Amino acid sequence: MHEWSVTQSIVEAVTRFAEEKGLKRITRVEIEVNELSQLETDIMEEAFRILAQGTPAQNAELIILKSPVHFVCKNCGYRWDLKEALRYIQEATSGHSIVDEEGTSDPPLHYLPMLVYSFLKCPKCGSRDFELENPFSVRIKSVEGERE
Amino acid sequence: MSLQVEPWEVLAEKRLSEIGETLLVGSGKGGVGKSVVSAALALALAKKGYKVGLFDLDVHGPSIPAILGIKNVRLTGSRRGLEPVPHRGMKVMSLAFLVGDNPLPLKGAAKTEVVEDIISNTDWGSLDYLVVDLPPGTGDEMLLSTRIFRRHTHRFLVVATPSIIALSVVKRLVSLLRDEKIRIAGIVENMATLPGGAPHPGSQLLEKYAETENLRVLAKIPFDETLEEVLLKGAGLENAPRFWHAVEGLAESLTGT
């Protein structure tokens, strides 16, 4: 359900943007979501449709791009992707899940993706000294709107 | 068109607008007792009947749960975000609740992302005071935290120990805070006495510095031999009497009650 608060923040950010730029309507919002957070795009789309009601972003097209993540070990140079990382992350985060009001359990990375540094080691050498190529959670890439 | 504001900032601002005042507890370096002072101050304020939140933003070594003896926490979330943990009449949030005993070897940009995410995701609701245990030092993560909190009612408490080494660090921190237009409440002198109760020889240095800089010394917290044992037993910070008495005085001087 974290998708709702993330989407709320997007609606409020683009509403503020519309006010600052004198836009009557927002027609298109493109956002980028880090694959690590495993935010569900269909929930975000539904939340956006509901939360944008009565704002300049009502009826805006929401484009959600999932930004792929890659990890590079600083110790041995091994490079791996989320699919491989998830094999380790799922086990490491199993005792740390966060339960929401609907009973859904989510890993901490759903809320704070960069905590991956706490739950992952290099699959080859076991070092925790690795880099994440896209260290961000959610960002707005572009907003389009109309003044009239 | 480019956006002037990030979604996380909008969410953070909304949450902070429900908070009466943020008390930022910081130090130029680690090891001066910043987290223990933060925890005790929050507890003292809660005991006075205020609605209090305690926010552990120490990305290097979150220790508030250990100080307060909070164990086996399972965090919950909702459409509004992460729920802080209720503890002895206050609400507590710490990165330690999310990672447990796992190491937290955060890289540069990831540190600020974590701070942004936990500030924007924690659903405090309405509070009189939010006590923030800041990351130590003056790096990105500390600057980011103060940048967000200074937009709302706030005061910064500089925690320092009475030594010539600590003094040089305090000077740099105070200078930075003034440049960043952060409201400084004053200095909290921790471990202000030697074991046994004699005044610490370095205490005068700190006092003199505060006077020259027109800063208040908000509290002189004495060295209390019982504190370590109290922490070990999880007996409650009120059971270290000299320490606790000074923290109560600090809470009084901040609230005027």
Side-chain angles (χ1 to χ4, degrees), chain A residues 2 97 99 118 129-130 137, chain B residues 2 14 74 77 103 107 117 121:
Chain A
H2 179 46
S97 56
V99 181
S118 261
D129 186 10
F130 61 85
S137 302
Chain B
S2 67
K14 197 175 166 188
R74 180 57 65 93
K107 294 292 172 69
D117 284 346
N121 281 321

Side-chain angles (χ1 to χ4, degrees), chain B residues 28-177:
Chain B
K29 65 193 271 298
V32 298
K34 171 181 62 65
S35 300
V36 180
V37 169
S38 303
L41 174 61
L43 198 56
L45 292 168
K47 278 177 159 272
K48 281 178 168 292
Y50 292 108
K51 284 193 286 179
V52 178
L54 174 58
F55 207 169
D56 182 359
L57 278 187
D58 190 340
V59 293
H60 300 283
S63 56
I64 292 290
I67 291 166
L68 293 173
I70 307 175
K71 291 173 187 162
N72 305 320
V73 166
R74 180 57 65 93
L75 280 183
T76 56
S78 75
R79 284 186 179 191
R80 286 177 51 93
L82 288 169
E83 302 289 335
V85 174
H87 179 76
R88 303 193 59 198
M90 56 184 177
K91 294 178 177 178
V92 184
M93 179 55 80
S94 168
L95 284 169
F97 294 149
L98 290 131
V99 301
D101 290 330
N102 281 323
L104 198 54
L106 295 169
K107 294 292 172 69
K111 267 189 270 192
T112 50
E113 281 287 327
V114 162
V115 172
E116 289 171 3
D117 284 346
I118 199 161
I119 293 176
S120 59
N121 281 321
T122 305
D123 181 23
W124 296 102
S126 156
L127 294 176
D128 296 316
Y129 290 104
L130 178 65
V131 179
V132 183
D133 180 15
L134 287 170
T138 52
D140 277 354
E141 60 279 10
M142 182 273 192
L143 283 173
L144 168 77
S145 312
T146 48
R147 190 171 78 234
I148 298 307
F149 291 114
R150 80 175 170 202
R151 295 175 190 160
H152 301 267
T153 309
H154 72 275
R155 279 181 284 175
F156 196 108
L157 283 68
V158 177
V159 180
T161 48
S163 86
I164 189 75
I165 303 162
L167 185 61
S168 64
V169 176
V170 168
K171 283 180 179 173
R172 281 196 288 270
L173 176 61
V174 167
S175 169
L176 174 73
L177 294 174

Side-chain angles (χ1 to χ4, degrees), chain A residues 86-106:
Chain A
L86 280 176
R87 291 206 292 268
Y88 303 91
I89 292 171
Q90 279 162 356
E91 193 186 331
T93 58
S94 63
H96 302 270
S97 56
I98 298 163
V99 181
D100 69 18
E101 70 264 62
E102 292 179 8
T104 311
S105 281
D106 290 308

